[in-house]
Each structure stands twice: as C-alpha cells, then as structure tokens.
Amino acid sequence: MFVDLRWWPLGLCAAAIVLLIALAAVLGSRRDFGAGLVAVRAGRSDAAPALTGPFALAWVQQRTALLWTSLGLGLMWFASGGVVEAVPDLVESVADNPVYSAILGEGDDLIRAFLGVFGLYAGSGAAAFGVAMALRAKGEEESGRAGLVLTKPVSRARWLASGLVLALAGAAVVQVTGVLALWAGAASSGLDEPGFGAYLELALAYLPGLAVVVAFAAALYAWVPKATGLAWVLFGYVFVVGMFADLFGLPDWARGISPFWWVGNPMVDGVGAAHLWGLCGVAALLFLLAFAGFRRRDLQNG
C-alpha cells in the first residue's frame, strides 16, 4: 500500500508554482488596473424577457457558481468512489492509528463506514456553497444594488426569499450530485454493495442539516449583518465534530451544536426520522426569524 518517499513529485509542484506565479506577473503587467486581458462584451440594452423578477435575478447570480461547484466536486467524488473498494486494505495498514479508529469507528463493514465519512465531506462542501450563496444578499445590500431592486414593486420578503430558496436548492443539488457521483465512481470500479438506494439515502439524509446551516446564515444576515462570519464558524465546527468528536472526547451537548451530528452515519446506523424532522423544525424557525429580522431593520448601503 505504501512505498518509499519520492521527492520528484514535490519538485514538479514547486516548479509549477514558480512558473504560474511568473505567468501571472507577466499577464498582470499587460492589463489595465481594474480591467481584464479580454475585453468585456457589450451587454444587452435592456433586460432579457425572462429577467422579470428577483428570483430570475438571483438565478442569474448563482447559476455559474452552482454549475462549477457541482461539476468540480462531482468529479472529485467520482474519483474518490473509485478507491473505495481498497478501503479494507488501507484500514488494515493503519489499524494501530487511533485517529483512523476514531473517525471510522468500530464495525465489520469498513466500506460503509468509509462511505459515511465521504457523505460528511460531501455535506460539508454543500454547506459551504449554501452559506456562500445565502450571504450574497449581504454583498448586494452593501453595494446598494438591493436598495435599487427594492425601489421597485418588490417586497423585502420576496427579494430575500428568492436568494435563499436558490441557495438552499443549490446546496441540495451539490450534495445529491456529489454523493451520486461517489456511487458512480464506486460502481465503475466494480463495487456493487452498497447499492444505489443506500447512496441516495445518504445524500438525502443530510438535506435537513444543510437547511439548518443555510438558515443560520440567513438569520445572522437579517439580524446582525456584521456577525455573518459566525456562519463560517458553524461550518468549521460542523466539520470538526463530524471528523474528530470521538478523538477529542467531546460531550454530547457539544456535538449536538452541529446539525450534521444529528444525522449520524446513515450508511451504518440508518436514518433517524425524529432527528431529521427536528432539524427541519429548527431550519424553519431560523428562516422565520430571518424574514422577521430583515423586515424590521434598515438597509445598509455601502
């Protein structure tokens, strides 16, 4: 499984870094400040017929990020699925390492345990996308563009809902496509079990937890815009709890702060319906708080 240390790949990476930095410096010296090397295309003189409301505007703003995030993470999970079959041999080679034991737990089905960890990774990537898209509203507000939109016959609730609905839906797309890409990679390598249904259950089980993370970011933006960084703190905490809670010996109350902890490992333990409904309730409450807070405060223009 392991071989002697080879230094030449590190040398290739170092050479690539130097060449890319040099290329960036040359290209940067050949463009005007604040402009690009490729001229910006002239836009339409008026908006497209489809761009008639805040939902369409939010879709235009988020669709490129959704496409490339789903594609990039999907390719990574597909490649990861191709090595799942070798997990038992890998774990055997590091059997004495307490870190791996804490992450994977104990049990006979190491492949399912390992896939559960990949599910956490996929959920973390989807959560990062959801938080980033939910907080786009803050940038729109600070730049003054939100104020311009709200001068039209568009309510605050409708404007905020447009961005949040797409942020949540986009996070769900990133999660589901990522886990299904993991299944496709595993299936292409000849791994038939677990089947497609188990992967789909793994993907869907994380959606209520994702909703809580996105709703928490929305509530922070609505009530305390300057504290939206706490949404990223929660994101990091979710990952730490998911990976290292056993290693650090965290008590249940500390683990329970993470929405993903309530999901567990669906590949090994199944899905607890009560926990998922509870997460849905928390997400709904946070979204309601977000809309109430956004209606009460003044806009902050940059």
Side-chain angles (χ1 to χ4, degrees):
M1 181 62 68
F2 297 100
V3 297
D4 294 335
L5 186 63
R6 295 174 179 152
W7 290 100
W8 64 266
L10 180 61
L12 288 178
C13 291
I17 291 172
V18 172
L19 289 175
L20 289 173
I21 291 176
L23 177 62
V26 172
L27 294 178
S29 67
R30 293 176 179 270
R31 68 174 180 84
D32 292 333
F33 185 75
L37 290 171
V38 179
V40 179
R41 294 183 303 169
R44 297 171 56 104
S45 59
D46 54 1
L51 198 61
T52 57
F55 188 88
L57 177 60
W59 168 245
V60 170
Q61 292 173 330
Q62 297 188 28
R63 62 186 180 185
T64 302
L66 175 60
L67 171 64
W68 289 110
T69 302
S70 300
L71 181 61
L73 291 180
L75 290 173
M76 183 174 67
W77 299 135
F78 179 82
S80 300
V83 302
V84 171
E85 193 175 16
V87 166
D89 295 334
L90 171 63
V91 174
E92 183 179 356
S93 67
V94 292
D96 297 332
N97 192 318
V99 175
Y100 284 92
S101 299
I103 293 174
L104 296 176
E106 297 180 357
D108 296 329
D109 200 334
L110 293 175
I111 288 181
R112 281 184 172 270
F114 206 81
L115 287 172
V117 174
F118 274 132
L120 172 66
Y121 287 159
S124 299
F129 175 85
V131 170
M133 293 301 102
L135 295 183
R136 281 190 65 97
K138 182 181 179 183
E140 292 295 299
E141 180 180 347
E142 292 176 342
S143 67
R145 290 189 293 268
L148 291 175
V149 173
L150 293 174
T151 60
K152 305 299 181 181
V154 176
S155 67
R156 285 191 174 205
R158 185 183 172 198
W159 177 80
L160 182 61
S162 300
L164 293 182
V165 167
L166 284 173
L168 187 56
V173 169
V174 172
Q175 167 69 7
V176 173
T177 56
V179 174
L180 294 186
L182 180 66
W183 163 77
S188 68
S189 67
L191 185 66
D192 298 326
E193 290 294 335
F196 176 82
Y199 285 89
L200 184 59
E201 185 179 77
L202 175 65
L204 298 179
Y206 276 93
L207 297 187
L210 285 174
V212 172
V213 175
V214 173
F216 179 69
L220 286 173
Y221 161 68
W223 286 92
V224 194
K226 292 182 179 180
T228 50
L230 291 176
W232 292 110
V233 173
L234 176 62
F235 162 74
Y237 187 77
V238 164
F239 184 79
V240 169
V241 169
M243 293 298 297
F244 305 114
D246 290 335
L247 183 65
F248 295 158
L250 295 179
D252 285 349
W253 68 264
R255 303 180 191 216
I257 297 174
S258 166
F260 285 5
W261 180 73
W262 298 96
V263 177
N265 188 336
M267 278 287 186
V268 177
D269 305 320
V271 178
H275 288 175
L276 299 188
W277 281 114
L279 289 172
C280 289
V282 172
L285 178 60
L286 288 172
F287 277 126
L288 288 175
L289 287 173
F291 284 106
F294 190 60
R295 289 180 59 186
R296 292 171 60 89
R297 70 171 177 83
D298 294 331
L299 293 182
Q300 299 177 352
N301 294 326

